[in-house]
């Protein structure tokens, strides 16, 4: 009987360890230049919005945006990055610069972090009849720790003639925080140990 209880506790303990570990979507070292790229799975953010693609029941509903958090390390440099993919009904102009802002709340303290964005011009998506924009932002180390310890409530994208705000649900906020921590652990940058 004791042996059976020990087996049950061992299985529960190992199962608990598996649930506490994070799953990376991508962790690869390039064979030619030893560049390492680590990413967590993309997280859908915002709400479901009607696309410009009509189906029998009306407009096809699509996710407002997706966010992907990652890390890359080369021989002499390493950086965290965020790729934000948004669906837009119109064509917008946007240049490089600090034009993607994140509202972060940490233990009741609110902060706005602006990240340097290298956007695409937007590509036509035939599945939605909308424009898909990729905003790739470099994440400095201090911002990484803010993302790992706080919750992103809203994201603002400042196009040249339009400001888009994406509001995140509590579940989405937690999913992003876990993705940031997961990539940070793989990069051996989280948690910070004294």
């Amino acid at each position: 009987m004791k042996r059976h209880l020990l087996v049950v506790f061992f299985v529960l303990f190992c199962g608990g360890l598996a649930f506490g570990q994070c799953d990376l979507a991508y962790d690869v070292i390039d064979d030619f230049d030893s560049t390492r790229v680590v990413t967590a799975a993309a997280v859908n953010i915002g709400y479901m919005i009607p696309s410009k693609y009509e189906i029998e029941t009306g407009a096809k509903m699509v996710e407002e945006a997706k966010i992907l958090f990652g890390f890359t390390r080369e021989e002499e440099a390493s950086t965290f990055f965020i790729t934000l993919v948004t669906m837009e009904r119109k064509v917008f102009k946007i240049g490089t610069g600090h034009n993607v802002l994140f509202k972060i709340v940490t233990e009741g303290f609110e902060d706005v972090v602006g990240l340097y964005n290298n956007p695409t011009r937007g590509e036509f998506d035939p599945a939605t009849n909308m424009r898909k924009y990729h905003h790739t932002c470099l994440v400095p180390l201090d911002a990484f720790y803010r993302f790992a310890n706080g919750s992103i409530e809203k994201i603002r994208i400042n196009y040249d003639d339009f400001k888009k705000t994406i509001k995140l649900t509590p579940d989405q906020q937690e999913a992003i925080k876990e993705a940031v921590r997961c990539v940070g652990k793989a990069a051996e940058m989280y948690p910070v140990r004294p």
Side-chain angles (χ1 to χ4, degrees):
M1 181 67 174
K2 288 182 182 178
R3 187 177 302 159
H4 292 293
L5 284 175
L6 287 174
V7 170
V8 169
F9 284 124
F10 179 76
V11 170
L12 289 174
F13 176 75
C14 290
L17 288 178
F19 290 120
Q21 296 175 355
C22 59
D23 293 324
L24 295 172
Y26 194 75
D27 188 355
V28 174
I29 298 175
D30 187 272
D31 293 335
F32 295 98
D33 61 11
S34 300
T35 300
R36 181 181 183 202
V37 178
V38 178
T39 65
V43 177
N44 293 331
I45 58 173
Y47 299 100
M48 296 297 287
I49 60 171
S51 71
K52 293 174 71 177
Y53 188 85
E54 292 291 325
I55 55 177
E56 292 176 8
T57 58
K60 178 180 177 182
M61 301 298 284
V62 296
E63 291 89 4
E64 185 175 8
K66 292 179 186 276
I67 192 167
L68 179 129
F69 192 81
F71 172 80
T72 185
R73 175 180 289 143
E74 296 182 27
E75 287 182 16
E76 298 177 8
S78 61
T79 188
F80 290 99
F81 62 90
I82 285 177
T83 299
L84 184 63
V85 179
T86 60
M87 301 303 294
E88 305 293 357
R89 298 181 73 77
K90 295 182 182 178
V91 176
F92 294 114
K93 292 182 181 178
I94 186 168
T96 58
H98 289 83
N99 49 25
V100 177
L101 309 173
F102 295 81
K103 179 184 174 189
I104 303 171
V105 177
T106 308
E107 298 176 4
F109 177 74
E110 295 182 359
D111 191 16
V112 174
V113 175
L115 296 183
Y116 186 82
N117 177 20
N118 186 15
T120 61
R121 293 187 307 169
E123 60 187 49
F124 178 73
D125 179 24
T128 61
N129 286 339
M130 296 173 74
R131 303 290 293 185
K132 184 188 295 186
Y133 287 83
H134 292 80
H135 306 276
T136 302
C137 305
L138 299 177
V139 179
L141 200 54
D142 63 328
F144 162 74
Y145 288 111
R146 289 182 192 168
F147 291 144
N149 297 315
S151 297
I152 300 171
E153 281 192 347
K154 295 178 184 177
I155 300 171
R156 163 72 57 87
I157 301 168
N158 291 323
Y159 293 101
D160 289 353
D161 55 353
F162 175 71
K163 294 179 181 179
K164 178 180 184 131
T165 302
I166 303 168
K167 297 178 183 178
L168 283 72
T169 66
D171 289 342
Q172 293 168 351
Q173 293 172 24
E174 193 60 33
I176 292 173
K177 188 187 303 184
E178 288 305 312
V180 169
R181 290 178 177 176
C182 182
V183 171
K185 287 176 188 174
E188 300 177 0
M189 302 287 279
Y190 183 86
V192 177
R193 291 185 174 87

